[in-house]
Amino acid sequence: MRGLIDLQAEIKLRRQAIEDIKQKLEQGDPIYDSPQRYKSCTEQALSEYRQRTSRTKYAQNPAYMQFREQIWEVSQTGAMPPITDLVPAEPGDEADSDEDLVVGGVMQDYKCPLSARILEDPLSSTVCKHSYSRREVMEYLAGNGGTARCPATGCDKVITRQNLKENRELRKRVAAYERREEEREIKRRGTQLTQVID
């Protein structure tokens, strides 16, 4: 799975290099050696990507999180720990608190972009794959005549009632996430109580 994510990242970086060259040409900027420029741009971008830690490459990737959750469900019992517990920290990760990574990775994936709260009865767009709490997105569309721009940051797709579908798999993942968070909170309170008693 990590190899696939790396390949997707490489394809994206190579496309971006081509797009940058194309834009410069369209703006009339002279580029005398496009192949060499493409090569140097992609080599630099790939080098920077490869220097990133495993947590920054994978722990915040929704596809990787879903993959690890599915593996956990068929091979383990109980709630899966936070994804950062499954991806060891490396030099360079020290500045990232565990809470920030959980929020940036798992938590963000399960939040409605309209309410900023955990998804409830999620609906997913078939045009951009973003998900929303049913009540919030229906109110959002009703207030915009039934058609509106996706409220997720950086998305410019248009959503309608017709391209929103019930997402049962996501609902299960949200429920599992909430159970994990409850277990973490219970464990945290138990640790605090033990420290007070000691």
Side-chain angles (χ1 to χ4, degrees), residues 1-179:
M1 188 62 182
R2 290 187 182 196
L4 179 59
I5 291 169
D6 290 342
L7 184 58
Q8 289 174 329
E10 180 175 345
I11 291 169
K12 184 177 179 180
L13 292 170
R14 290 186 181 280
R15 283 183 177 160
Q16 185 60 52
I18 292 171
E19 187 62 31
D20 290 346
I21 292 171
K22 178 184 169 191
Q23 286 180 359
K24 290 198 176 293
L25 289 171
E26 288 174 348
Q27 293 169 359
D29 293 347
I31 296 180
Y32 301 106
D33 193 355
S34 295
Q36 182 57 39
R37 185 183 183 101
Y38 166 78
K39 184 179 178 183
S40 62
C41 286
T42 53
E43 284 177 353
Q44 180 181 350
L46 286 169
S47 175
E48 290 172 0
Y49 174 79
R50 290 175 184 133
Q51 289 174 18
R52 292 171 56 189
T53 66
S54 295
R55 282 189 175 184
T56 58
K57 285 191 285 190
Y58 311 119
Q60 300 181 41
N61 184 293
Y64 185 73
M65 289 185 287
Q66 182 177 356
F67 171 76
R68 291 302 296 255
E69 286 172 355
Q70 290 171 344
I71 295 295
W72 185 273
E73 287 173 8
V74 298
S75 64
Q76 305 289 334
T77 57
M80 188 180 91
I83 193 76
T84 50
D85 289 359
L86 304 176
V87 182
E90 299 170 15
D93 284 329
E94 288 84 5
D96 298 321
S97 70
D98 189 48
E99 191 62 28
D100 288 340
L101 283 169
V102 172
V103 171
V106 178
M107 189 73 166
Q108 189 62 42
D109 194 41
Y110 297 145
K111 277 188 175 182
C112 172
L114 288 161
S115 67
R117 294 190 298 271
I118 295 294
L119 289 163
E120 295 180 11
D121 194 9
L123 297 176
S124 296
S125 166
T126 58
V127 294
C128 65
K129 309 305 180 191
H130 288 118
S131 300
Y132 329 90
S133 293
R134 180 184 295 268
R135 187 180 69 188
E136 276 76 7
V137 74
M138 287 304 180
E139 289 177 0
Y140 175 67
L141 288 172
N144 288 281
T147 301
R149 184 173 176 171
C150 173
T153 303
C155 185
D156 59 359
K157 300 292 185 183
V158 173
I159 60 172
T160 65
R161 289 184 182 90
Q162 289 71 34
N163 60 38
L164 293 178
K165 302 297 179 190
E166 184 177 358
N167 194 330
R168 293 179 182 175
E169 180 60 32
L170 179 57
R171 184 189 299 168
K172 289 180 188 174
R173 295 204 311 268
V174 169
Y177 170 75
E178 290 183 308
R179 285 195 301 272

